[in-house]
Amino acid sequence: MPITTEELEYEYNKLYRTCCYTSLAIPLPRIEASSSFTSPTAPLGGPRLASFGIAAKTLSNPPVTQEVSVAPSSTSAAFSSSSIGSAPLQLAVVGNGTYGALIDRRSRVVWCCMDRFDGDPIFNSLLNNDSEESGFFDVVLQGQVRSEQKYIPNTAILVTTLSSKNNDVVQVKDFAPKFIHYDRMFRPFQLFRVITRIRGDPMITVRVRPTFNYNSTDGYQTRGSHHIRFCGPTDTWRMTSNASIRTIIEEVPFLVHDPVYIVFGQDESFANSLTQVSKEFEDKTLKYWKQWCMNLVLPVDYQDILARSAITLSLLQSDECGGIVSSLTTGIPLGPSSPPTRDERACRILDICMSLPVLRQFGLFTMVRRFLEYVKNLCFSSGMNVRPVYSLIGDSDVPGERVIYLAGYQGVGEVVVGGVGEGYGSRQSGGGSSPSVNINDPSIPMYGLFCIALAHGFFDVRLKDICSPKVFDRLEKFGTKAVEAFQMFVTYTHAPPPSGGEDLPPGHRENLSPGLCFDDDLRLLTMAEDDYDDENAGVDGADREWAHQQGLSDDSRDSYGRPRVHTFTSILCWAACDRLQRVAEHLHWVEKSKMWG
């Protein structure tokens, strides 16, 4: 329902009093009761409630189907209708294993979930049609005409060089601290930005515009002599700098003479000199990444590319949990008419388990060890209901929600958060008089994947503390389920169509042998991911019409009416038994080796 003027003023004044009671609060412009408001429906990614001072806790998370009406804003961004793909995704990754930030070639932070990989993105303009209103942190050089971006070799420290038409050059260095401190890994929720004059008299503007609750509110600000606090409904972040705080708040251009140090992160004050701390953290972070790359095993060819790929992969792994996310964002659409994307800030077990031997060959043993600890935890916490996708904390059932305050990448599509495990429910193959068989249960291939992954721990002496007889007992339960599934595949038969195949569609009058249809169509392995195309997941084209005439509308059957099984799924069932037999033989467990052999 529309928001009345009285409700708007009440919520605003409540927030205003909160600001005034805070030390050195920055007051917001007052809204008078006599102001006239209209209440059109808010467009996708349009004006946010915080533009009018409404407390985020009241209307920050409306239901997916609810439309929230707000007053129009004169500062709302006008979203362009440019086609997707017109601007390439040339983004650099900066992180330290606790968070990840994406920075474009303009030195603009366009995406950053500061508290965790799958948390609330305080900088989110990447998925808000590259908004110029909010959701970013950038350094703007006056008269800029060119930019160059590169990493310091063998590190995760990013250097962006901005040049102006007057031949003024300024350098922006971004890094997330990561090094050993007090015998443990120090990786704070902080982004360091060092702005240095290279040539001329560069005049820059620093713009820091975070948002909260997926862009639903800007929160409010308080300031100190050398810092700004950005306060949201549940989180508070602090920006500390040796530059003039007032010029940053009011976004006033200023000349760069001495290096400018900016730290954005957790709400903690600096006890020491900001300049000294920045230099010390940069030196230690540089040394850490140089040493990290020394442990890589690289071939002679393509060393730079492989080293950069290894560093980027390490930035996608959570040091706290061990899981590796598929992406730092909630997903980029494939095209203008593509369906809503899933939240890719989750761990896809299949991709990583099959890559473990390669990671070990490249010397990424620590990464493999942390991931195996993550998989071991899933084995004991998920029971027998294992799934292909998990959140970083091991949750396989996170409800999805559409974010109405983000316009999407280049204004295309919707932004969906969560949704981990949705669409991976069991699917029964029905039809005919044959018994119901759970052929497309997504747990079936996972039994083999878990056995393949954790088998590394039984053969590598450096992983003996991870894999124990208790782990083997758990894997045996997975192996038993894999055997049952494979026997179901090879014994469940279906009578072929009438002799001669006259009732078959064109092109399907051969190979009429009864039994199982082993298919290499990848849709059968990822069928649960294509919820929006379930009707087309089985028989295609003219075959679909024929299948409906024969009463074979189930997407788990081929055009002959036989159960369709992905070949890779059946191989993983065999692999579960094979790995259990090899582990038992390696541990000299004769009886178990014979049983699984």
Side-chain angles (χ1 to χ4, degrees), residues 158-285:
L158 180 68
V159 178
T160 306
T161 303
L162 308 177
S163 304
S164 72
K165 59 184 179 181
N166 297 325
N167 205 25
D168 300 325
V169 181
V170 67
Q171 183 185 87
V172 182
K173 186 180 298 182
D174 296 287
F175 68 94
K178 187 174 185 178
F179 50 86
I180 302 297
H181 186 61
Y182 293 138
D183 295 329
R184 61 178 182 267
M185 187 62 67
F186 179 71
R187 34 181 172 73
F189 302 104
Q190 291 178 335
L191 173 65
F192 280 70
R193 312 201 80 177
V194 182
I195 307 172
T196 308
R197 179 178 67 90
I198 302 299
R199 183 173 59 247
D201 295 312
M203 179 168 288
I204 65 171
T205 303
V206 178
R207 302 188 297 176
V208 187
R209 301 180 182 179
T211 65
F212 300 89
N213 277 6
Y214 289 92
N215 200 45
S216 65
T217 176
D218 291 334
Y220 64 93
Q221 302 174 4
T222 65
R223 62 157 294 179
S225 58
H226 291 92
H227 73 269
I228 307 172
R229 297 174 71 244
F230 300 91
C231 306
T234 57
D235 299 317
T236 299
W237 302 101
R238 178 187 295 244
M239 191 215 71
T240 307
S241 177
N242 63 338
S244 170
I245 294 300
R246 182 174 180 179
T247 59
I248 296 178
I249 292 177
E250 300 181 5
E251 298 181 355
V252 177
F254 62 93
L255 290 172
V256 179
H257 298 289
D258 299 325
V260 176
Y261 298 93
I262 301 176
V263 181
F264 186 95
Q266 56 208 29
D267 187 22
E268 296 179 0
S269 60
F270 278 84
N272 299 321
S273 166
L274 177 61
T275 301
Q276 180 181 353
V277 171
S278 298
K279 291 181 179 180
E280 179 184 357
F281 282 12
E282 180 182 348
D283 292 341
K284 290 184 176 181
T285 302

